[in-house]
Amino acid sequence: MSNAGDFAPNTKTHEMAMEDKITSVSKEKRVIKPAAEFQKQANIGSMTAYRKMYRESINSPSKFWAKQAKDFLVWRKPWNKVVEWKAPHAKWFTGGMINVAENCLDRHLGTARENKAAIIFEGEPGDVRTITYKQLHGEVCRFANVLTRLGVKKGDRVAIYLPMVPEAAVAMLATARIGAIHTVIFGGFSSSAITERVNDCEAKLVITADGGYRRGGVVELKKNVDEALKKTPSVEKVVVVRRCGNSVQMKKGRDVWYHEELEEASPVHKAKGFSSENPLFILYTSGSTGKPKGVLHTSAGYLLGTALTSYYVFDLKEYDTYWCSADVGWITGHSYVVYGPLCSGATTVMYEGAPNYPDIDRFWSIIERHRISIFYTAPTAIRAFMRGGDEPVKKHDMSSLRLLGTVGEPINPEAWMWYYKTIGGGRCPVVDTWWQTETGAIMITPLPGVTPMKPGSATLPFFGVEPEVVDDSGRKVPKNSGGKLVIKRPWPSMLRTLWGDDKRFKEQYWSQFPGIYFCGDGCRQDKDGYYWIVGRIDDVLNVSGHRLGTAELESALVSHADVAEAAIVSKPDEIKGSGVVAFVTLKAGRNGSDNLKKTLREHVGKEIGPIARPDEIRFTEGLPKTRSGKIMRRILKEVASGGDRYGDVTTLEDFNVVARLAKTGEDE
Ligand code: 7RM
């Protein structure tokens, strides 16, 4: 139990900082020690080993990164300088020459990995394809020759708009192989999103498919491309993968079939070395307002970041079957479906379809049939499965799993425990990995088998990462107080700029604290040095003068047995200045009643204190989410205050959710 007194600010010392301080209300205390059996075989064997290596990475970064770059990558020409840092611009491994595709493919040939599965693909209808490293190499070489023949040169932009099929990985790797720049556009985006992105980077060529399978139907991708390309003067050619066999229109002189081009192409392609800082890809990430930002990543540093984290965070072993359920349209798909695992010679699984098709147990069925050993997914998916109860999981043999991971949002301790116990059977460490499109690779994370885990915390920094929690003036805040999360030094896989908009790059990430990267997240560091992300700074609530992150309040609601998911926003309140509105989805079979509203308010009061008790609770069938599963609190805020100016909703997964949400307040 707690009382409001706990939250009384110490006005003497904190008067000045009140504005930017975030009050933490979490009472989460559990510590889960990883199993000894896991530790015995882990790629990093102890906390002592982690701390030693971390210290080296911070005290002698150039020496540390030089060693990793030698151990994890193959080079055409060694670098002269590890890092050149003129804030906010970094260059890594300058003077070095490298080919990213060679690092993911050619290096494994002539080794025992040659005939190992590089990709195991499962389509939504149930079709399965296994592609070995040798086969993948052959296909990428052929397609690299096709791209060259179609006029793509080093530095040209290639847009990829495909379903989650192996050809997506082939397209990315072939583009990289010839030194061109890819921009993957998520297959769920509309034609206007394609137009905007293609025009922003002036893509010369588009790779798409006739369609992709989703929830039993066909998403007509080529049709969307045709519509989008009415307004894209830069596009000269379109390559179409045949996936569903649905009829498409091929524009003469512009459109060619992937399979026909490949048939004619030679499987021999000699990879050239490109400079370390050669751009590898642009990935558009939508801010809450304004046009999408084209995050630019380059070659060597990015690849090193993804390879190193793949090895240590996922504890990759030669025999693992590794599955990251993210779409290649997101950074997680780039870094942890394609580049990280393939550079490490791992077997990476790709699944095309919806998580709940034909049934809610599809993921568990995939894990059982392919004997997946490492599984990486998002909290939103975990909560959705949790909502469906344990039965769908129990139908499957999940004993092949040895490691679980999560990314995308703060994971509430309740969902963490469910994931750990029900999916992992209490055997598997859970790595809660904090990172961003901009960071390229995992930044804050446990090392499995080694780092004692705290449900809801991403725990400790990865090698070379120096985070800090600061107030608005950039001063480090005391342990256990909230503030802004910054990264104090450059790291190899960091974004280099925003495509065509270096001014926005500087403003967005480097203007708050000169020379220091501000990620936009609120955070708290506990007494053990563990980091707890409390949500986006833009979403912070103001309750009676206290600034509260969204994650802790939502997590308190979700810890109630009837609640599946919750999102909290503030709304203007005439008396208090602002009030707290909770949108709540319930577990299957539970009923939203006035009684339950009362119970939930009391529950939150008990869990974290009376000040955080929501003023209003609204039960809803679903929450507005981005297509990668992040809750769009900006829309909920608008709904809560009775408005309908939702702003940019192009990344919204399902607009019907918003329409239904608007009705949730009507009985109030
Ligand atoms: C990888 C990815 C980045 C934002 C980030 C956070 C949130 C991601 C976690 C997390 C708490 C985590 N890239 N986020 N991972 N919050 N714990 N483990 O998601 O660019 O799409 O999003 O996602 O707010 O800033 S992203």
Side-chain angles (χ1 to χ4, degrees):
M1 269 300 263
S2 140
N3 58 60
D6 285 5
F7 305 100
N10 181 342
T11 42
K12 278 200 191 83
T13 52
H14 287 294
E15 210 157 32
M16 298 295 288
M18 252 316 278
E19 267 302 288
D20 46 279
K21 252 192 59 153
I22 295 174
T23 308
S24 174
V25 289
S26 170
K27 298 271 158 59
E28 182 58 46
K29 286 276 152 38
R30 283 171 284 197
V31 179
I32 286 145
K33 291 236 168 68
E37 301 88 84
F38 196 104
Q39 176 159 13
K40 259 185 249 150
Q41 59 81 64
N43 287 347
I44 278 264
S46 67
M47 272 314 261
T48 316
Y50 158 70
R51 292 204 187 280
K52 180 164 176 280
M53 206 161 146
Y54 180 74
R55 260 198 316 274
E56 284 166 8
S57 75
I58 295 298
N59 294 341
S60 330
S62 289
K63 195 173 148 212
F64 174 85
W65 287 115
K67 178 172 172 14
Q68 306 311 321
K70 244 180 239 150
D71 290 354
F72 280 81
L73 303 181
V74 292
W75 292 84
R76 281 308 176 83
K77 182 170 163 264
W79 59 90
N80 305 320
K81 216 161 179 294
V82 170
V83 58
E84 287 174 36
W85 176 230
K86 285 196 201 86
H89 295 113
K91 289 184 185 162
W92 285 84
F93 307 109
T94 47
M97 303 285 271
I98 195 165
N99 186 294
V100 169
E102 175 182 40
N103 270 274
C104 294
L105 300 166
D106 308 54
R107 72 184 299 180
H108 307 308
L109 304 187
T111 78
R113 284 176 182 156
E114 181 171 279
N115 289 314
K116 172 179 176 174
I119 296 176
I120 297 176
F121 164 73
E122 179 162 315
E124 194 182 72
D127 50 324
V128 171
R129 272 161 72 191
T130 300
I131 302 163
T132 66
Y133 272 96
K134 204 187 330 196
Q135 291 168 330
L136 186 62
H137 172 262
E139 181 133 338
V140 168
C141 285
R142 277 180 201 272
F143 196 53
N145 284 323
V146 170
L147 290 176
T148 303
R149 210 185 57 78
L150 293 175
V152 180
K153 296 193 180 64
K154 171 179 177 278
D156 285 346
R157 275 78 62 204
V158 172
I160 299 173
Y161 181 69
L162 284 170
M164 269 297 277
V165 292
E167 287 78 1
V170 173
M172 291 162 79
L173 290 163
T175 305
R177 192 174 184 91
I178 60 171
I181 307 169
H182 60 69
T183 185
V184 182
I185 303 168
F186 174 56
F189 281 158
S190 62
S191 58
S192 58
I194 306 171
T195 305
E196 186 171 23
R197 286 157 176 76
V198 164
N199 283 339
D200 187 77
C201 68
E202 298 168 289
K204 197 171 185 181
L205 182 137
V206 178
I207 304 162
T208 188
D210 50 2
Y213 292 103
R214 191 79 188 176
R215 292 208 171 85
V218 172
V219 181
E220 295 187 89
L221 298 173
K222 176 61 165 59
K223 219 178 183 176
N224 291 344
V225 168
D226 290 340
E227 181 60 32
L229 266 46
K230 286 179 182 163
K231 289 172 244 143
T232 55
S234 60
V235 176
E236 292 168 13
K237 296 278 174 194
V238 178
V239 182
V240 187
V241 173
R242 180 174 279 160
R243 166 65 184 142
C244 300
N246 51 310
S247 81
V248 296
Q249 275 177 19
M250 299 292 279
K251 190 169 167 183
K252 240 183 127 203
R254 185 193 72 178
D255 302 353
V256 295
W257 284 105
Y258 176 89
H259 62 272
E260 287 178 1
E261 295 295 311
L262 271 199
E263 232 162 71
E264 287 166 27
S266 157
V268 181
H269 183 276
K270 220 174 135 357
K272 271 187 17 192
F274 297 99
S275 81
S276 296
E277 284 295 334
N278 195 46
L280 178 61
F281 65 85
I282 302 164
L283 185 58
Y284 287 89
T285 165
S286 51
S288 50
T289 50
K291 65 175 190 131
K293 305 186 284 270
V295 170
L296 180 75
H297 283 287
T298 58
S299 300
Y302 170 80
L303 193 63
L304 180 58
T306 60
L308 195 69
T309 47
S310 292
Y311 180 75
Y312 286 116
V313 179
F314 298 119
D315 192 52
L316 281 178
K317 298 290 191 305
E318 214 51 75
Y319 45 77
D320 276 312
T321 304
Y322 161 92
W323 181 27
C324 164
S325 71
D327 192 281
V328 287
W330 312 121
I331 190 68
T332 309
H334 284 62
S335 301
Y336 298 110
V337 174
V338 179
Y339 290 112
L342 294 178
C343 189
S344 314
T347 297
T348 181
V349 174
M350 290 176 85
Y351 168 58
E352 176 187 33
N356 55 356
Y357 187 85
D359 283 307
I360 192 168
D361 65 341
R362 180 62 181 262
F363 273 19
W364 321 134
S365 150
I366 292 174
I367 289 173
E368 176 175 28
R369 283 180 292 104
H370 298 294
R371 311 307 294 149
I372 309 275
S373 56
I374 303 170
F375 178 53
Y376 189 34
T377 196
T380 179
I382 298 168
R383 287 191 295 264
F385 293 131
M386 205 173 140
R387 190 179 186 183
D390 294 4
E391 280 319 304
V393 187
K394 295 222 169 96
K395 287 207 304 225
H396 299 280
D397 174 13
M398 308 277 280
S399 63
S400 57
L401 287 173
R402 67 179 195 93
L403 173 58
L404 299 172
T406 138
V407 61
E409 280 185 295
I411 182 164
N412 49 294
E414 238 42 51
W416 193 103
M417 290 306 297
W418 186 84
Y419 195 36
Y420 178 69
K421 284 188 184 153
T422 310
I423 304 304
R427 300 181 312 280
C428 310
V430 173
V431 288
D432 173 354
T433 61
W434 178 86
W435 60 293
Q436 307 176 293
T437 305
E438 292 86 346
T439 70
I442 293 168
M443 301 289 276
I444 302 179
T445 177
L447 291 182
V450 171
T451 313
M453 298 168 288
K454 299 188 186 186
S457 170
T459 78
L460 300 170
F462 189 71
F463 305 127
V465 176
E466 193 187 357
E468 198 159 279
V469 183
V470 300
D471 64 20
D472 277 358
S473 59
R475 271 185 309 234
K476 187 172 177 171
V477 302
K479 289 271 165 75
N480 267 326
S481 5
K484 291 175 173 163
L485 180 64
V486 297
I487 311 292
K488 292 179 71 182
R489 62 168 76 200
W491 63 101
S493 65
M494 68 195 287
L495 80 166
R496 297 302 193 260
T497 187
L498 295 177
W499 183 259
D501 202 348
D502 199 53
K503 188 164 163 267
R504 192 172 177 197
F505 166 68
K506 288 177 184 151
E507 273 163 19
Q508 182 84 34
Y509 308 105
W510 305 93
S511 63
Q512 291 241 354
F513 312 107
I516 291 176
Y517 176 81
F518 174 48
C519 69
D521 284 351
C523 187
R524 164 177 72 93
Q525 194 184 18
D526 73 15
K527 62 176 194 334
D528 298 324
Y530 280 44
Y531 292 88
W532 299 74
I533 304 294
V534 301
R536 298 291 294 172
I537 282 288
D538 297 347
D539 296 330
V540 162
L541 309 158
N542 202 322
V543 186
S544 321
H546 296 274
R547 288 161 54 78
L548 305 172
T550 48
E552 294 175 344
L553 270 63
E554 287 162 4
S555 150
L557 274 167
V558 182
S559 72
H560 188 276
D562 288 356
V563 175
E565 197 157 40
I568 297 204
V569 295
S570 58
K571 95 171 191 190
D573 183 294
E574 274 171 26
I575 300 150
K576 297 203 295 178
S578 76
V580 172
V581 182
F583 291 87
V584 171
T585 62
L586 296 175
K587 286 194 183 145
R590 312 303 211 283
N591 278 322
S593 61
D594 282 348
N595 226 355
L596 184 56
K597 285 186 185 174
K598 205 169 141 239
T599 311
L600 290 179
R601 292 188 72 242
E602 280 162 11
H603 177 76
V604 175
K606 212 159 46 195
E607 288 288 305
I608 56 179
I611 81 155
R613 266 197 315 236
D615 300 291
E616 199 182 302
I617 289 180
R618 297 193 189 187
F619 295 115
T620 166
E621 270 300 302
L623 295 169
K625 290 185 186 164
T626 66
R627 296 185 187 247
S628 67
K630 295 189 210 297
I631 296 169
M632 294 174 86
R633 293 182 185 75
R634 161 172 68 84
I635 289 178
L636 291 172
K637 228 175 164 163
E638 187 64 15
V639 171
S641 54
D644 57 5
R645 303 222 312 258
Y646 304 124
D648 179 14
V649 289
T650 50
T651 58
L652 184 66
E653 200 204 4
D654 177 5
F655 191 80
N656 292 327
V657 172
V658 180
R660 272 183 264 129
L661 267 171
K663 296 200 181 119
T664 56
E666 281 178 0
D667 56 300
E668 230 83 26

